[in-house]
Amino acid sequence: MPDAFDLFNKATELAEQDQLDEALTIFQALLKSDSNNASIWNNIGIIQFRQEKYLDAVNAFGQAADIDPHFTNALFNKSLALVNLGKDIEALKALDNVLKISPYDTEAQSQRALITRKMAQVSDTQKSDSRSVQSQLRV
């Protein structure tokens, strides 16, 4: 029987091959024995994001950040999911937390600027396009 490390690697490999349901099943099984593993929660969030289950992804990224408050990748990823839900202000708060921990994170700075610019344009045009912000998740 494979150990947790092997299962984690298998799930990661499946996710990279776009076998998202299979990968998610393995990550969820891993949670049963290690529910306080921020990396597992982050990977679950990434899969849910890729499945366009943005609210579930926000919750998974939030779990990862609750377990490890300095896990900037989870906070960054949470911001991307929040943008896709149209929750730009909450996304900015998540990015502010990233920048408190890592002030020179240029990716978070850029993402924050994109959201702020989008919000300014929305207030001018009353139209929202979440695709105008970055969508590269962090592992």
Side-chain angles (χ1 to χ4, degrees), residues 68-100:
D68 180 358
H70 290 91
F71 192 1
T72 57
N73 288 355
L75 292 166
F76 182 87
N77 293 342
K78 182 178 178 180
S79 77
L80 296 179
L82 286 164
V83 166
N84 278 281
L85 291 171
K87 298 184 178 193
D88 294 340
I89 292 171
E90 289 180 50
L92 289 175
K93 289 178 184 176
L95 289 168
D96 287 344
N97 287 333
V98 171
L99 293 169
K100 282 180 194 170

Side-chain angles (χ1 to χ4, degrees), residues 11-23:
T12 302
E13 183 180 305
L14 288 168
E16 289 170 355
Q17 297 170 353
D18 283 331
Q19 297 178 37
L20 302 179
D21 291 332
E22 295 88 345

Side-chain angles (χ1 to χ4, degrees), residues 4-6 9 21 23-24 27 30 34 40 54 77 89 91-92 104 108 110 122 125 134:
F5 180 78
D6 291 335
N9 287 337
D21 291 332
L24 185 59
F27 280 126
L30 286 168
D34 193 4
I40 293 172
Y54 301 118
N77 293 342
I89 292 171
L92 289 175
Y104 301 107
S110 296
V122 168
T125 64
Q134 180 178 329

Side-chain angles (χ1 to χ4, degrees), residues 1-11 26 29-30 33:
M1 181 169 180
D3 65 8
F5 180 78
D6 291 335
L7 287 172
F8 185 95
N9 287 337
K10 178 66 175 172
I26 293 172
L30 286 168
S33 62

Side-chain angles (χ1 to χ4, degrees), residues 2 5-6 11 28 31-32 48 83 107 112 127 138:
F5 180 78
D6 291 335
Q28 289 171 331
L31 280 181
K32 291 178 183 173
Q48 292 169 328
V83 166
E107 199 173 15
R112 192 179 196 298
K127 292 183 181 176
R138 296 178 176 180

